[in-house]
């Protein structure tokens, strides 16, 4: 099943919901960065939330999520757009910690994402094409990502929500399954319906175990939400970074002729790396000399 997300409503529009499978996307992005299991889980959960928050935007709007904790993983950064594209990275991709509470599920250890993230803040930055971006932030609740977003929605957006985010890792550090759901209650939902959803969530199996069994995002929403679920939209999810060789050329040019000629003298080449996607751009001596010429004419 390739990655996609569904956006749905229920309870006469008083509930909106998202669910997605992000296995391939998380696999590609964690492969690009060579993350070990703990970083893959933390980054994958944030990417999954990013994809769901991204599709609430319009047109060219973008959203950036920053999990800024004092734990060994360092900062996690994810950006997403309104068309299902996500990208992201984690500052320290090779951190390993003992499993949480020594818990092992089958042959899968429970990764201690909370300890990896530590204490700090969650930032949500929405670039809506206005002069200033919208920035919301809350202190991290547990560093487990899902709970931190729950607090964000409650405090910063005043929307009672239910969140499930999961990344299941294989023993060989590859991603077996990833996905998530987000249910948001708008004003007017009855206590009975709220109780029903709370009960469902309490007994709900971990989302990745359902994805491994072959359940679709649509199936997952139908199991969580009372009554008819109206699927409004299905959007493909995938990795995309907007970096390019031209962008890095402009970056080199902006250093000015003196700096460029010192790179030529000292290294005879330059390798520039995109933080977001880990793509490497090589510039050899000839190419640097051409850029040097151009920088002199500026
Ligand atoms: Zn890139």
């Amino acid at each position: 099943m390739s990655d996609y997300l569904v956006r749905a409503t229920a309870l006469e529009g008083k509930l909106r919901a998202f669910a997605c499978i992000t296995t391939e996307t998380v696999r590609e992005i964690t492969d690009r960065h060579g993350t070990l299991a703990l970083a893959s889980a933390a980054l994958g959960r944030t990417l999954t939330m990013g994809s769901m928050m991204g599709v609430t935007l319009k047109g060219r709007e973008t959203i950036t999520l920053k999990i800024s904790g004092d734990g060994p993983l360092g900062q996690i950064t994810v950006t997403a757009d309104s068309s299902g594209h996500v990208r992201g990275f984690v500052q320290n991709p090779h951190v390993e910690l003992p499993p949480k509470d020594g818990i092992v599920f089958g042959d899968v250890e429970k990764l201690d994402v909370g300890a990896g993230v530590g204490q700090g803040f969650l930032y949500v930055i929405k670039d809506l094409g206005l002069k200033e971006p919208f920035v919301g932030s809350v202190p991290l609740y547990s560093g487990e990502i899902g709970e931190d977003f729950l607090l964000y929605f409650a405090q910063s957006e005043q929307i009672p929500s239910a969140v499930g985010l999961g990344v299941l890792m294989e023993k060989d550090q590859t991603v077996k399954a990833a996905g998530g759901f987000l249910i948001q209650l708008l004003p007017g939902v009855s206590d009975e319906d709220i109780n029903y959803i709370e009960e469902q969530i309490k007994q709900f199996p971990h989302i990745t175990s359902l994805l491994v069994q072959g359940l679709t995002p649509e199936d997952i929403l139908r199991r969580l939400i009372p009554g008819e679920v109206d699927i409004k939209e299905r959007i493909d999810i995938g990795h995309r970074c907007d970096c390019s060789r031209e962008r890095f050329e402009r970056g080199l040019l902006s250093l000015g002729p003196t700096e460029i000629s010192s790179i030529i003298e000292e290294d005879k080449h330059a390798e520039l790396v995109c933080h977001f996607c880990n793509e490497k751009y090589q510039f050899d001596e000839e190419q640097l000399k051409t850029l040097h010429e151009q920088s002199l004419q500026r």
Side-chain angles (χ1 to χ4, degrees), residues 241 243 274 276-277 279:
C241 186
C243 68
C274 174
F276 265 104
C277 67
E279 192 72 41

PDB file of all heavy atoms in Angstrom, residues 241 243 274 276-277 279, ligand 1:
ATOM      1  N   CYS A 241      11.729  17.656  -1.149  1.00  0.00           N
ATOM      2  CA  CYS A 241      12.517  18.763  -0.630  1.00  0.00           C
ATOM      3  C   CYS A 241      12.682  19.757  -1.771  1.00  0.00           C
ATOM      4  O   CYS A 241      12.841  19.372  -2.918  1.00  0.00           O
ATOM      5  CB  CYS A 241      13.878  18.265  -0.165  1.00  0.00           C
ATOM      6  SG  CYS A 241      14.826  19.573   0.637  1.00  0.00           S
ATOM      7  N   CYS A 243      15.129  21.830  -2.208  1.00  0.00           N
ATOM      8  CA  CYS A 243      16.514  22.263  -2.445  1.00  0.00           C
ATOM      9  C   CYS A 243      16.886  22.000  -3.907  1.00  0.00           C
ATOM     10  O   CYS A 243      16.259  21.190  -4.581  1.00  0.00           O
ATOM     11  CB  CYS A 243      17.481  21.546  -1.506  1.00  0.00           C
ATOM     12  SG  CYS A 243      17.666  19.788  -1.799  1.00  0.00           S
ATOM     13  N   CYS A 274      22.256  19.503   1.988  1.00  0.00           N
ATOM     14  CA  CYS A 274      20.952  20.020   2.423  1.00  0.00           C
ATOM     15  C   CYS A 274      20.601  19.374   3.767  1.00  0.00           C
ATOM     16  O   CYS A 274      20.563  18.151   3.881  1.00  0.00           O
ATOM     17  CB  CYS A 274      19.883  19.697   1.380  1.00  0.00           C
ATOM     18  SG  CYS A 274      18.224  20.140   1.923  1.00  0.00           S
ATOM     19  N   PHE A 276      17.805  19.282   5.228  1.00  0.00           N
ATOM     20  CA  PHE A 276      16.496  18.648   5.231  1.00  0.00           C
ATOM     21  C   PHE A 276      16.489  17.258   4.620  1.00  0.00           C
ATOM     22  O   PHE A 276      15.846  16.358   5.142  1.00  0.00           O
ATOM     23  CB  PHE A 276      15.481  19.530   4.493  1.00  0.00           C
ATOM     24  CG  PHE A 276      14.714  20.403   5.431  1.00  0.00           C
ATOM     25  CD1 PHE A 276      15.001  21.748   5.550  1.00  0.00           C
ATOM     26  CD2 PHE A 276      13.707  19.867   6.213  1.00  0.00           C
ATOM     27  CE1 PHE A 276      14.295  22.548   6.435  1.00  0.00           C
ATOM     28  CE2 PHE A 276      12.998  20.649   7.103  1.00  0.00           C
ATOM     29  CZ  PHE A 276      13.289  22.001   7.213  1.00  0.00           C
ATOM     30  N   CYS A 277      17.198  17.082   3.490  1.00  0.00           N
ATOM     31  CA  CYS A 277      17.078  15.799   2.786  1.00  0.00           C
ATOM     32  C   CYS A 277      18.412  15.085   2.660  1.00  0.00           C
ATOM     33  O   CYS A 277      18.465  13.996   2.107  1.00  0.00           O
ATOM     34  CB  CYS A 277      16.440  16.000   1.420  1.00  0.00           C
ATOM     35  SG  CYS A 277      17.482  16.933   0.296  1.00  0.00           S
ATOM     36  N   GLU A 279      20.769  15.599   0.753  1.00  0.00           N
ATOM     37  CA  GLU A 279      21.289  15.566  -0.623  1.00  0.00           C
ATOM     38  C   GLU A 279      22.620  16.331  -0.633  1.00  0.00           C
ATOM     39  O   GLU A 279      22.743  17.375   0.004  1.00  0.00           O
ATOM     40  CB  GLU A 279      20.277  16.249  -1.547  1.00  0.00           C
ATOM     41  CG  GLU A 279      20.515  16.062  -3.023  1.00  0.00           C
ATOM     42  CD  GLU A 279      20.202  14.649  -3.493  1.00  0.00           C
ATOM     43  OE1 GLU A 279      19.190  14.072  -3.048  1.00  0.00           O
ATOM     44  OE2 GLU A 279      20.990  14.139  -4.303  1.00  0.00           O
TER      45      GLU A 279
HETATM   46 ZN1  LIG B   1      16.959  19.121   0.338  1.00  0.00          ZN
END
